[in-house]
Amino acid sequence: MNPDLVVRADTVLTVDDSFSREEAFAVYGDEITAVGTHEAITELAGPETEILDVEDQTVLPGFIDAHCHMTFRGRSDYLEVDLGPETVGSMDELVAELAAEAEATPEGEWIVGAGHDDTKLEEQRHPTRHDLDEASTDHPIMITPAGGHVAMVNTRAVETAGIDDETPDPDGGHFEREDDGYPNGILHEAASDPFEALIPDPTPEEDQAALREVCEQYNSKGITGVGEAVVHPEEIRMYRDGAKQDTLSVRAYLMVLHDHFDDLNRMRIDSGFGDEMVTIGLIKNFVDGAIAARTAYLEEPYEGRDDRGDLVISQEELDEQIMEAHKAGYQIGVHANGDAAIEMLLDAYERALEAHPREDHRHRIEHGTMVTDEIVDRIEELNLCVLPFSTYIYQHGDDKLSEYGDRLERMFPYNSYLERGIPVGGSSDNPAGLLPPLLGIRTMVTRKTRSGDTISPHEAISVEEAIRVYTTGAAYCSFEEEIKGSIEPGKLADFVVLSEDPTEVPADDIHEIDVEATYLGGEAVYTG
Ligand SMILES: [Zn+2]
């Protein structure tokens, strides 16, 4: 059988075991069938074979962003008011964006803002309910910031939720309060739950429109696979509908919140259930807050503060939840950023693995940002995978990370992980983190901030290693290394065409390389 497609490039970086360089490959259906020289592959072509000649360009396996929030990004772009640093630079501008949306929205309906980043605002703070009241008192307003752990609401929203000075703080969160105890509108962690519950879910049609938009953005950065890191039943529906309606052009590995564990387990919907477009992946938990919001849970207090960050679960609950999901045979992924949070998680994994030993569990630490030598030893011993933020040093290295002081030396420890053979997957955490995998690769290699400062250079890795993190490494973290992550016979024909070879340009320029085209299963899903 002749191939459907033959791809002839300047260089094909196959990312096989020896990182071999080839020139061409053949695709039949959605699968790669042969890899070799121009001559050898051209000989396979028949009269019907499409030839893709990209002879000045470099082809790589499609990038896999193993931990991101594609649906948050889609919904925020399509349904919410953009308050990101590119749109809004001051409190006045933030209020003006929300006021404009209020103007166009029937009284009483919710207005949701997204992308707010306090450190990028002139005022260097979050808006309170009084700031947001300037935008509207006729609509409840809620802002979910990029970090996802602190939210803000206006007075109308506080009233709508029936919350006042008498309302106690919920478990796992708190309201910031004014002198008389009335909430000031800034909500930490679980304190935003009662508000989120009031915001109507998007309709299936809105979801599909949002999904189409976000898939286009992801494809334009060369992404063909994602780990969707917060999944409720609505997101499962969204992805399944997207696969059926051809809205979905990124393969998704779903990380279902532990809240839904009983439902999945009762139906025996295990890790790996699904198909090559949408897979039920792992059970997701959280231990602590966020790095950028400076709520990660640390062994020692933050510089110049007396607190150690936020825990969102007790050790006892964490142990119990991990034990039950592990015992039932699921893969598990747990958000843990600070060194103290990671230690709690390691204890929980250790107990579960001692009670019910399992080979090749591939349990994961989502982020695993701050470590000690002892932590890295334990991660290796327990055979865990880690998914550190790939672009944070670039994005936040000049400002937010300064509150970690000397501990910055022990953060985003790519080299320490890879040296021990610990599996590492690429992860933007978009929309909290900047999306482009090429920026992630540049950051892992240079460890440079936006302004050009270098952070803990001893944790830098090579370009080849960084490409692996975003391809084979990410595929391994989701049990998909047999079908994804490299250009080899038998793998899915997911690939990206780049204007230049990232291993040949100066490392500082890697993020300037153009994504010329992205293919999923042998079909073009993006052309630049
Ligand atoms: Zn995340």
Side-chain angles (χ1 to χ4, degrees):
M1 196 69 82
N2 299 127
D4 294 321
L5 174 69
V6 157
V7 181
R8 298 189 296 210
D10 175 50
T11 307
V12 176
L13 294 179
T14 62
V15 199
D16 63 5
D17 283 345
S18 49
F19 210 89
S20 56
R21 286 158 188 273
E22 292 286 357
E23 295 173 337
F25 58 96
V27 176
Y28 182 76
D30 62 359
E31 215 175 86
I32 295 162
T33 51
V35 183
T37 61
H38 284 181
E39 209 184 347
I41 297 300
T42 304
E43 263 175 27
L44 303 173
E48 305 286 303
T49 303
E50 184 193 336
I51 309 279
L52 175 66
D53 269 321
V54 285
E55 291 183 16
D56 293 333
Q57 291 154 4
T58 299
V59 176
L60 267 72
F63 297 122
I64 302 171
D65 190 337
H67 177 125
C68 59
H69 301 270
M70 199 168 88
T71 55
F72 287 179
R73 171 70 181 265
R75 288 183 183 136
S76 68
D77 285 1
Y78 187 75
L79 299 172
E80 297 168 355
V81 183
D82 175 19
L83 303 175
E86 264 120 67
T87 312
V88 156
S90 68
M91 199 62 76
D92 281 349
E93 288 172 13
L94 179 144
V95 167
E97 290 292 321
L98 292 167
E101 181 74 10
E103 199 65 29
T105 304
E107 191 176 328
E109 284 187 16
W110 279 85
I111 292 174
V112 181
H116 157 67
D117 181 342
D118 57 320
T119 65
K120 302 286 191 293
L121 274 195
E122 215 173 284
E123 288 82 358
Q124 294 282 305
R125 64 174 178 87
H126 295 302
T128 65
R129 67 186 173 99
H130 303 289
D131 296 306
L132 299 179
D133 288 348
E134 301 283 323
S136 175
T137 50
D138 297 331
H139 306 77
I141 299 177
M142 178 163 187
I143 297 179
T144 318
H149 297 260
V150 189
M152 291 121 246
V153 289
N154 68 349
T155 306
R156 176 77 180 249
V158 177
E159 288 166 2
T160 307
I163 284 162
D164 58 25
D165 54 336
E166 311 264 286
T167 312
D169 287 338
D171 283 346
H174 70 275
F175 303 105
E176 282 190 24
R177 293 175 194 268
E178 292 161 2
D179 290 345
D180 60 1
Y182 196 88
N184 75 355
I186 300 177
L187 319 165
H188 291 261
E189 302 291 349
S192 66
D193 293 352
F195 297 90
E196 279 170 69
L198 293 172
I199 298 172
D201 287 334
T203 64
E205 293 72 30
E206 286 172 332
D207 264 348
Q208 290 310 309
L211 188 61
R212 183 179 297 278
E213 189 159 313
V214 72
C215 281
E216 278 169 18
Q217 290 174 26
Y218 275 50
N219 292 151
S220 76
K221 307 297 179 202
I223 295 169
T224 55
V226 296
E228 172 66 59
V230 168
V231 172
H232 296 281
E234 301 88 274
E235 282 81 26
I236 298 178
R237 182 199 68 196
M238 179 178 185
Y239 277 104
R240 291 300 306 161
D241 287 354
K244 275 188 237 153
Q245 297 169 23
D246 248 353
T247 318
L248 185 66
S249 56
V250 168
R251 301 182 197 276
Y253 191 75
L254 306 184
M255 299 156 70
V256 183
L257 290 181
H258 189 274
D259 305 8
H260 311 294
F261 165 74
D262 285 338
D263 292 336
L264 289 184
N265 193 29
R266 203 168 47 236
M267 295 182 282
R268 296 310 304 147
I269 297 179
D270 299 316
S271 291
F273 180 93
D275 58 27
E276 287 160 358
M277 284 308 293
V278 184
T279 310
I280 298 293
L282 54 77
I283 302 291
K284 171 85 185 282
N285 286 70
F286 289 82
V287 183
D288 66 342
I291 283 296
R294 292 148 294 180
T295 50
Y297 186 58
L298 311 180
E299 281 296 337
E300 300 292 329
Y302 282 82
E303 312 289 300
R305 280 163 51 179
D306 54 14
D307 74 291
R308 298 165 52 202
D310 295 341
L311 264 188
V312 298
I313 194 169
S314 68
Q315 182 77 57
E316 207 183 347
E317 266 180 295
L318 181 66
D319 288 356
E320 209 174 284
Q321 294 187 0
I322 286 188
M323 188 70 83
E324 65 178 4
H326 172 74
K327 192 177 163 201
Y330 287 86
Q331 186 191 17
I332 302 169
V334 184
H335 167 121
N337 272 309
D339 45 4
I342 296 172
E343 275 167 16
M344 284 174 62
L345 175 58
L346 292 171
D347 288 347
Y349 275 142
E350 198 168 80
R351 285 179 194 127
L353 285 161
E354 261 167 31
H356 305 279
R358 193 202 314 169
E359 291 285 313
D360 205 22
H361 49 78
R362 301 195 204 180
H363 292 329
R364 308 179 9 169
I365 303 179
E366 307 299 324
H367 314 317
T369 306
M370 185 185 298
V371 299
T372 57
D373 287 343
E374 198 213 332
I375 286 176
V376 181
D377 287 344
R378 292 185 70 196
I379 292 174
E380 184 188 1
E381 274 160 33
L382 293 170
N383 273 318
L384 301 172
C385 304
V386 195
L387 299 293
F389 299 104
S390 306
T391 53
Y392 263 30
I393 288 179
Y394 175 86
Q395 184 178 0
H396 297 306
D398 292 320
D399 42 40
K400 288 183 185 177
L401 298 183
S402 63
E403 271 206 49
Y404 292 93
D406 291 345
R407 287 173 283 208
L408 208 38
E409 291 292 306
R410 306 191 270 115
M411 289 168 69
F412 317 103
Y414 281 97
N415 191 42
S416 296
Y417 288 146
L418 292 184
E419 265 184 348
R420 314 285 189 95
I422 294 167
V424 175
S427 153
S428 69
D429 207 30
N430 184 255
L434 296 171
L435 181 65
L438 286 168
L439 178 63
I441 290 166
R442 186 235 199 209
T443 306
M444 289 185 256
V445 173
T446 65
R447 300 192 62 95
K448 278 190 185 164
T449 68
R450 208 182 277 267
S451 74
D453 284 347
T454 303
I455 287 177
S456 47
H458 58 278
E459 292 293 358
I461 59 175
S462 71
V463 182
E464 284 82 358
E465 285 170 323
I467 291 173
R468 272 195 193 289
V469 164
Y470 259 107
T471 54
T472 50
Y476 183 87
C477 293
S478 51
F479 289 94
E480 295 173 306
E481 74 279 9
E482 298 292 330
I483 54 167
K484 293 182 188 171
S486 64
I487 296 179
E488 292 179 272
K491 297 254 178 138
L492 291 166
D494 300 349
F495 58 92
V496 55
V497 180
L498 300 181
S499 61
E500 291 185 77
D501 179 345
T503 65
E504 306 256 290
V505 302
D508 281 345
D509 299 340
I510 290 172
H511 64 308
E512 311 278 5
I513 295 173
D514 291 325
V515 174
E516 307 275 2
T518 304
Y519 280 71
L520 188 82
E523 305 273 341
V525 290
Y526 168 78
T527 40

